[in-house]
Amino acid sequence: MPSIDDRMRKRFILMNSDAALRQAVESSIPEKWEMTEATDLDAFDEWQEILLHRFMLLNLEDPQISDPVELIDMIRREHQLNIPIFCLGGSRELRDRARSARADRFFDREEGLQRLPEFFQQFAW
């Protein structure tokens, strides 16, 4: 059972295996924030661990993520989690499918990186 301190830690998930994207994200992380990087939900022992994070960045173009739409669908439908999911990149078709699976927002890679400080501030509660 997570403690109150565990629940209050400022953490986010980066679903990604691209080293350049990881480095760009890491350079934007404010003090006291922690990043959990994964390419599938198996990286989390229990689905409740996802709830200990404030938002997720999902690289739609990552070849190590077998099906990003299925990942979103599993989070939303199977686990019924409402963690904000911000998608980076992806074709129009892939974004439309991810939107249907109930991802929250979509950005080109560079725009998403530029918006990171805003996300950190918004979820700093």
Side-chain angles (χ1 to χ4, degrees):
M1 192 76 157
S3 68
I4 298 293
D5 287 338
D6 283 338
R7 293 175 193 212
M8 295 307 296
R9 287 169 48 197
K10 295 177 181 178
R11 295 186 269 187
F12 72 101
I13 299 168
L14 175 62
M15 296 300 276
N16 171 64
S17 68
D18 180 308
L21 179 58
R22 178 186 323 104
Q23 184 177 15
V25 170
E26 284 177 336
S27 70
S28 298
I29 300 174
E31 197 173 310
K32 298 185 181 178
W33 276 86
E34 303 169 37
M35 178 175 72
T36 301
E37 188 173 19
T39 56
D40 61 42
L41 297 180
D42 292 338
F44 302 92
D45 293 331
E46 298 286 331
W47 62 267
Q48 297 94 329
E49 285 183 47
I50 297 169
L51 291 175
L52 296 176
H53 297 81
R54 301 196 179 180
F55 64 91
M56 175 185 289
L57 291 176
L58 173 58
N59 180 358
L60 290 177
E61 298 173 348
D62 194 315
Q64 297 298 314
I65 300 173
S66 61
D67 187 346
V69 175
E70 182 180 314
L71 184 143
I72 296 164
D73 190 59
M74 183 174 285
I75 289 170
R76 295 292 194 235
R77 190 186 321 245
E78 188 171 322
H79 299 307
Q80 297 184 357
L81 302 179
N82 198 27
I83 184 173
I85 301 173
F86 303 123
C87 298
L88 303 177
S91 67
R92 180 182 202 112
E93 178 188 343
L94 183 55
R95 285 182 178 198
D96 286 345
R97 290 180 38 233
R99 188 173 286 111
S100 293
R102 298 188 313 270
D104 293 291
R105 305 275 307 272
F106 301 87
F107 305 97
D108 292 330
R109 185 173 171 141
E110 289 308 311
E111 180 187 4
L113 290 171
Q114 290 173 355
R115 301 282 301 267
L116 271 178
E118 178 184 324
F119 301 150
F120 290 124
Q121 184 177 11
Q122 180 179 354
F123 293 99
W125 42 263

